Short mmCIF file of all heavy atoms in Angstrom, two decimals:
data_model
loop_
_atom_site.label_atom_id
_atom_site.label_comp_id
_atom_site.label_asym_id
_atom_site.label_seq_id
_atom_site.Cartn_x
_atom_site.Cartn_y
_atom_site.Cartn_z
N VAL A 118 21.00 0.26 12.72
CA VAL A 118 21.00 -1.16 13.10
C VAL A 118 19.50 -1.67 12.83
O VAL A 118 19.39 -2.78 12.31
CB VAL A 118 21.29 -1.22 14.63
CG1 VAL A 118 21.01 -2.63 15.17
CG2 VAL A 118 22.76 -0.84 14.84
N TRP A 119 18.45 -0.93 13.14
CA TRP A 119 17.15 -1.37 12.91
C TRP A 119 16.96 -1.64 11.44
O TRP A 119 16.37 -2.61 11.02
CB TRP A 119 16.14 -0.27 13.47
CG TRP A 119 14.78 -0.63 13.05
CD1 TRP A 119 13.88 -1.40 13.71
CD2 TRP A 119 14.10 -0.08 11.82
NE1 TRP A 119 12.73 -1.38 13.05
CE2 TRP A 119 12.79 -0.62 11.91
CE3 TRP A 119 14.44 0.71 10.83
CZ2 TRP A 119 11.87 -0.40 10.93
CZ3 TRP A 119 13.51 1.02 9.77
CH2 TRP A 119 12.19 0.46 9.87
N ARG A 120 17.41 -0.74 10.56
CA ARG A 120 17.17 -0.87 9.13
C ARG A 120 17.93 -2.06 8.54
O ARG A 120 17.48 -2.75 7.80
CB ARG A 120 17.74 0.44 8.41
CG ARG A 120 17.61 0.46 6.90
CD ARG A 120 16.26 0.82 6.49
NE ARG A 120 16.10 0.90 5.00
CZ ARG A 120 16.35 1.92 4.35
NH1 ARG A 120 16.75 3.09 4.87
NH2 ARG A 120 16.23 1.86 2.95
N TYR A 121 19.14 -2.36 9.11
CA TYR A 121 19.90 -3.52 8.68
C TYR A 121 19.18 -4.82 9.09
O TYR A 121 19.22 -5.82 8.37
CB TYR A 121 21.30 -3.47 9.25
CG TYR A 121 22.18 -4.54 8.75
CD1 TYR A 121 22.77 -4.52 7.45
CD2 TYR A 121 22.44 -5.64 9.59
CE1 TYR A 121 23.53 -5.54 6.98
CE2 TYR A 121 23.24 -6.66 9.14
CZ TYR A 121 23.80 -6.62 7.82
OH TYR A 121 24.53 -7.67 7.40
N ARG A 122 18.57 -4.77 10.23
CA ARG A 122 17.95 -6.08 10.72
C ARG A 122 16.61 -6.34 10.15
O ARG A 122 16.24 -7.47 9.92
CB ARG A 122 17.88 -5.96 12.28
CG ARG A 122 19.19 -5.98 13.09
CD ARG A 122 18.97 -6.23 14.48
NE ARG A 122 18.25 -7.44 14.81
CZ ARG A 122 17.92 -7.92 15.97
NH1 ARG A 122 18.15 -7.13 17.04
NH2 ARG A 122 17.29 -9.07 16.16
N TYR A 123 15.91 -5.25 9.90
CA TYR A 123 14.49 -5.53 9.43
C TYR A 123 14.16 -5.02 8.11
O TYR A 123 12.98 -5.19 7.63
CB TYR A 123 13.54 -4.84 10.49
CG TYR A 123 13.66 -5.29 11.89
CD1 TYR A 123 14.29 -4.60 12.85
CD2 TYR A 123 13.10 -6.57 12.22
CE1 TYR A 123 14.49 -5.08 14.16
CE2 TYR A 123 13.24 -7.00 13.52
CZ TYR A 123 13.92 -6.30 14.46
OH TYR A 123 13.95 -6.79 15.78
N ASP A 124 15.08 -4.40 7.44
CA ASP A 124 14.80 -3.91 6.00
C ASP A 124 16.05 -4.09 5.13
O ASP A 124 16.47 -3.20 4.45
CB ASP A 124 14.44 -2.49 6.06
CG ASP A 124 13.85 -1.97 4.71
OD1 ASP A 124 13.32 -2.79 3.98
OD2 ASP A 124 14.04 -0.74 4.45
N ARG A 125 16.55 -5.31 5.05
CA ARG A 125 17.74 -5.53 4.29
C ARG A 125 17.46 -5.46 2.81
O ARG A 125 18.27 -5.01 1.99
CB ARG A 125 18.35 -7.00 4.56
CG ARG A 125 18.94 -7.03 6.02
CD ARG A 125 19.74 -8.38 6.09
NE ARG A 125 20.27 -8.54 7.50
CZ ARG A 125 21.03 -9.50 7.81
NH1 ARG A 125 21.30 -10.43 6.96
NH2 ARG A 125 21.54 -9.56 9.13
N PHE A 126 16.23 -5.86 2.39
CA PHE A 126 15.91 -5.80 0.99
C PHE A 126 15.66 -4.31 0.55
O PHE A 126 15.74 -4.00 -0.65
CB PHE A 126 14.68 -6.52 0.70
CG PHE A 126 14.84 -8.06 0.77
CD1 PHE A 126 14.39 -8.83 1.85
CD2 PHE A 126 15.50 -8.72 -0.27
CE1 PHE A 126 14.58 -10.14 1.92
CE2 PHE A 126 15.69 -10.11 -0.19
CZ PHE A 126 15.32 -10.86 0.90
N GLY A 127 15.36 -3.47 1.55
CA GLY A 127 15.27 -2.04 1.19
C GLY A 127 16.56 -1.23 1.25
O GLY A 127 16.58 -0.07 0.99
N TRP A 128 17.67 -1.97 1.71
CA TRP A 128 18.98 -1.28 1.81
C TRP A 128 19.58 -1.14 0.36
O TRP A 128 20.41 -1.94 -0.03
CB TRP A 128 19.84 -2.11 2.69
CG TRP A 128 21.06 -1.54 3.19
CD1 TRP A 128 22.16 -1.10 2.44
CD2 TRP A 128 21.43 -1.22 4.53
NE1 TRP A 128 23.16 -0.62 3.17
CE2 TRP A 128 22.74 -0.66 4.56
CE3 TRP A 128 20.75 -1.26 5.73
CZ2 TRP A 128 23.31 -0.15 5.68
CZ3 TRP A 128 21.36 -0.85 6.93
CH2 TRP A 128 22.67 -0.28 6.91
N THR A 129 19.13 -0.19 -0.31
CA THR A 129 19.50 -0.03 -1.76
C THR A 129 19.37 1.44 -2.14
O THR A 129 18.62 2.20 -1.47
CB THR A 129 18.73 -1.00 -2.60
OG1 THR A 129 18.96 -0.67 -3.98
CG2 THR A 129 17.25 -0.74 -2.34
N THR A 130 19.98 1.77 -3.27
CA THR A 130 19.83 3.11 -3.77
C THR A 130 18.48 3.18 -4.66
O THR A 130 18.19 4.30 -5.11
CB THR A 130 20.95 3.48 -4.72
OG1 THR A 130 21.05 2.47 -5.73
CG2 THR A 130 22.34 3.48 -3.92
N ARG A 131 17.86 2.11 -4.90
CA ARG A 131 16.72 2.06 -5.79
C ARG A 131 17.09 2.68 -7.13
O ARG A 131 16.47 3.66 -7.50
CB ARG A 131 15.51 2.74 -5.16
CG ARG A 131 15.02 1.99 -3.90
CD ARG A 131 13.57 2.38 -3.57
NE ARG A 131 13.44 3.77 -3.32
CZ ARG A 131 13.59 4.30 -2.10
NH1 ARG A 131 13.92 3.57 -1.07
NH2 ARG A 131 13.47 5.59 -1.88
N SER A 132 18.08 2.14 -7.79
CA SER A 132 18.63 2.79 -9.00
C SER A 132 17.57 2.89 -10.03
O SER A 132 16.64 1.97 -10.20
CB SER A 132 19.76 1.90 -9.51
OG SER A 132 20.23 2.32 -10.74
N SER A 133 17.59 3.98 -10.68
CA SER A 133 16.64 4.34 -11.76
C SER A 133 17.35 4.38 -13.13
O SER A 133 16.91 4.98 -14.08
CB SER A 133 15.97 5.68 -11.57
OG SER A 133 16.91 6.70 -11.38
N GLN A 134 18.54 3.78 -13.24
CA GLN A 134 19.37 3.83 -14.47
C GLN A 134 18.58 3.09 -15.61
O GLN A 134 18.79 3.52 -16.80
CB GLN A 134 20.69 3.17 -14.25
CG GLN A 134 21.62 3.18 -15.45
CD GLN A 134 22.93 2.63 -15.20
OE1 GLN A 134 23.18 2.07 -14.11
NE2 GLN A 134 23.83 2.64 -16.20
N LEU A 135 17.78 2.11 -15.34
CA LEU A 135 17.04 1.53 -16.34
C LEU A 135 16.06 2.45 -17.13
O LEU A 135 15.80 2.29 -18.24
CB LEU A 135 16.21 0.39 -15.73
CG LEU A 135 15.36 -0.48 -16.66
CD1 LEU A 135 16.36 -1.24 -17.70
CD2 LEU A 135 14.45 -1.51 -15.90
N TYR A 136 15.56 3.47 -16.42
CA TYR A 136 14.57 4.43 -16.94
C TYR A 136 15.33 5.51 -17.77
O TYR A 136 14.81 5.98 -18.81
CB TYR A 136 13.77 5.09 -15.88
CG TYR A 136 13.02 4.10 -15.01
CD1 TYR A 136 13.10 4.17 -13.68
CD2 TYR A 136 12.20 3.03 -15.60
CE1 TYR A 136 12.38 3.24 -12.84
CE2 TYR A 136 11.61 2.18 -14.81
CZ TYR A 136 11.71 2.29 -13.47
OH TYR A 136 11.02 1.38 -12.71
N GLU A 137 16.45 5.95 -17.35
CA GLU A 137 17.20 7.09 -17.97
C GLU A 137 18.63 6.92 -17.60
O GLU A 137 18.97 6.82 -16.47
CB GLU A 137 16.61 8.38 -17.55
CG GLU A 137 17.03 9.50 -18.48
CD GLU A 137 18.39 10.05 -18.29
OE1 GLU A 137 18.92 9.87 -17.10
OE2 GLU A 137 19.01 10.66 -19.12
N SER A 138 19.58 7.02 -18.53
CA SER A 138 20.96 6.86 -18.32
C SER A 138 21.87 7.95 -18.84
O SER A 138 22.97 8.16 -18.44
CB SER A 138 21.52 5.49 -18.82
OG SER A 138 21.33 5.45 -20.24
N ARG A 139 21.31 8.80 -19.78
CA ARG A 139 22.13 9.83 -20.43
C ARG A 139 22.53 10.88 -19.42
O ARG A 139 23.77 11.13 -19.25
CB ARG A 139 21.36 10.48 -21.57
CG ARG A 139 22.17 11.55 -22.27
CD ARG A 139 21.39 11.96 -23.55
NE ARG A 139 20.13 12.63 -23.12
CZ ARG A 139 20.01 13.90 -22.80
NH1 ARG A 139 21.12 14.69 -22.77
NH2 ARG A 139 18.82 14.39 -22.31
N LEU A 140 21.59 11.47 -18.65
CA LEU A 140 21.92 12.49 -17.66
C LEU A 140 22.57 11.79 -16.46
O LEU A 140 23.45 12.42 -15.89
CB LEU A 140 20.59 13.16 -17.22
CG LEU A 140 20.14 14.31 -18.06
CD1 LEU A 140 18.79 14.87 -17.54
CD2 LEU A 140 21.20 15.44 -18.14
N LEU A 141 22.19 10.65 -16.19
CA LEU A 141 22.76 9.98 -15.00
C LEU A 141 24.27 9.71 -15.14
O LEU A 141 25.02 9.88 -14.14
CB LEU A 141 22.06 8.61 -14.71
CG LEU A 141 22.42 7.90 -13.49
CD1 LEU A 141 21.87 8.72 -12.31
CD2 LEU A 141 21.76 6.50 -13.49
N ARG A 142 24.74 9.48 -16.31
CA ARG A 142 26.19 9.27 -16.60
C ARG A 142 26.95 10.54 -16.30
O ARG A 142 28.18 10.51 -16.01
CB ARG A 142 26.35 8.76 -17.96
CG ARG A 142 26.00 7.34 -18.23
CD ARG A 142 26.70 6.81 -19.60
NE ARG A 142 26.14 7.57 -20.71
CZ ARG A 142 25.20 7.24 -21.44
NH1 ARG A 142 24.56 6.12 -21.17
NH2 ARG A 142 24.79 7.83 -22.56
N ILE A 143 26.32 11.71 -16.36
CA ILE A 143 26.99 12.98 -16.15
C ILE A 143 26.77 13.34 -14.68
O ILE A 143 27.77 13.70 -13.96
CB ILE A 143 26.46 14.08 -17.07
CG1 ILE A 143 26.67 13.66 -18.56
CG2 ILE A 143 27.13 15.43 -16.73
CD1 ILE A 143 26.06 14.63 -19.50
N ALA A 144 25.59 13.27 -14.27
CA ALA A 144 25.19 13.90 -12.92
C ALA A 144 25.78 13.00 -11.73
O ALA A 144 26.35 13.54 -10.80
CB ALA A 144 23.72 14.05 -12.76
#
């Protein structure tokens, strides 16, 4: 509840697909 109220912009996986996608597509 605290995270949702005060850190909505941080509610993310922080995707790193932009940096590397070959292994990510498998893993």
